Amino acid sequence: MVCTGCRSYLVPAPERVLPGGLRVVGAFLHVGPAKVLVHHLKYRGVGGYPAIVAAMVSERIPALPLVPVPRAVSRHLRYGVDPAMALAVAIAAKTGAPVLNLLRSPLHTTRRAGGDHRRPVHAYRGQGPAFPVILVDDVVTTGATVLSAAVSLGFLRVHLAVAANVTPGVSSLTPPVI
């Protein structure tokens, strides 16, 4: 669970619009306790944070199907958690929206978290739905990962993206490297 002190230092994130017009609804800025909490979710499987994120974003998004952006298989096996899936399940519990596994990630990719975001993003294999969906991811920095996922689903079918954390200070007008 998250202590009261940490909760008081969580900074709500403003909405962003990525190149191509994809709207990102983030729960918190990726600073302080939010950065630590998402790290514990990603690398230790520590719960509690997805419920807080769901409470922050559920009122700001439509009740459309949620599509988690999957973690590379090697990282899922190593850390035992898929953070986007944990977030999607928590959001679905608040909104009543279904969670759909429409994206497939590769077996392994070069790590981008905390690293050089100029590295290319791997392409997801997607099963494009015939209806609008919401992408769910743990952290949006440049937006390259959610844009890659959106392209594989059919960009026009992705209504918006939801993230636990959004990196501050990244311009919405800077095109990501895809």
Side-chain angles (χ1 to χ4, degrees), residues 53-103:
V53 169
M56 278 296 286
V57 301
S58 63
E59 298 294 322
R60 297 167 44 202
I61 62 172
L64 294 173
L66 302 164
V67 178
V69 177
R71 187 174 218 181
V73 174
S74 61
R75 284 189 189 75
H76 190 166
L77 292 172
R78 180 174 180 181
Y79 299 109
V81 67
D82 184 337
M85 178 59 81
L87 292 163
V89 167
I91 295 167
K94 294 284 281 181
T95 64
V99 176
L100 305 176
N101 287 313
L102 299 180
L103 292 169

Side-chain angles (χ1 to χ4, degrees), residues 106-130:
L107 292 176
H108 183 73
T109 62
T110 304
R111 182 175 177 264
R112 289 175 45 89
D116 182 358
H117 291 285
R118 292 175 296 185
R119 286 184 238 155
V121 175
H122 64 277
Y124 290 93
R125 293 185 315 272
Q127 183 179 348

